[in-house]
Amino acid sequence: VQLVESGGGLVQAGGSLRISCAASGMPTSRYNWGWFRQAPGKERAFLASITWSPIDTYYADSVKGRFTISRDNAKNTVYLQMNSLVPDDSAVYYCALDVRQIGTRWQGRYWGQGTQVTVSS
């Protein structure tokens, strides 16, 4: 399976951006999706996950209320709508498929290559 993110870029603080991740090679309707990010010098951090049945969403405290994860099974695509962006949101954003929470950690089986999001002040 191949995951390809798109939609990253440069945005001003307070602005919005929607990033996408499309999968190819297998259907994704029965898998959980997730979004993570990694800033320079920091570990990769979990942001959000969306389950497949029933559909439910989970968010890290740092993005709750600002970011929204959604999925389109017909397009094998997951989205992350990001609002009220701040410079600390600048990072490489990664999508993951077959995401699970093990203890306090979130893990994914398949990963995209990442898309850069930069928020200017």
Side-chain angles (χ1 to χ4, degrees):
V1 61
Q2 184 178 16
L3 307 181
V4 179
E5 296 102 336
S6 60
L10 176 65
V11 62
Q12 288 189 334
S16 298
L17 201 63
R18 189 178 81 156
I19 55 178
S20 305
C21 174
S24 60
M26 74 177 204
T28 60
S29 60
R30 296 194 176 205
Y31 292 90
N32 302 333
W33 283 100
W35 284 99
F36 298 72
R37 70 185 178 191
Q38 187 168 20
K42 294 186 178 181
E43 292 185 354
R44 187 166 56 192
F46 167 79
L47 298 177
S49 178
I50 184 166
T51 58
W52 67 277
S53 182
I55 293 180
D56 204 351
T57 56
Y58 302 89
Y59 295 94
D61 288 342
S62 59
V63 303
K64 196 175 297 182
R66 299 190 299 125
F67 291 9
T68 301
I69 188 172
S70 60
R71 63 190 296 164
D72 185 335
N73 290 335
K75 296 182 178 179
N76 285 327
T77 298
V78 66
Y79 305 94
L80 188 67
Q81 176 67 43
M82 303 182 289
N83 299 327
S84 303
L85 286 163
V86 298
D88 281 349
D89 292 319
S90 298
V92 178
Y93 283 68
Y94 298 91
C95 65
L97 184 64
D98 195 11
V99 171
R100 302 165 189 260
Q101 185 180 19
I102 301 176
T104 59
R105 295 184 63 85
W106 291 82
Q107 299 179 3
R109 180 184 296 185
Y110 307 103
W111 292 88
Q113 83 289 350
T115 186
Q116 178 70 48
V117 172
T118 303
V119 183
S120 63
S121 57

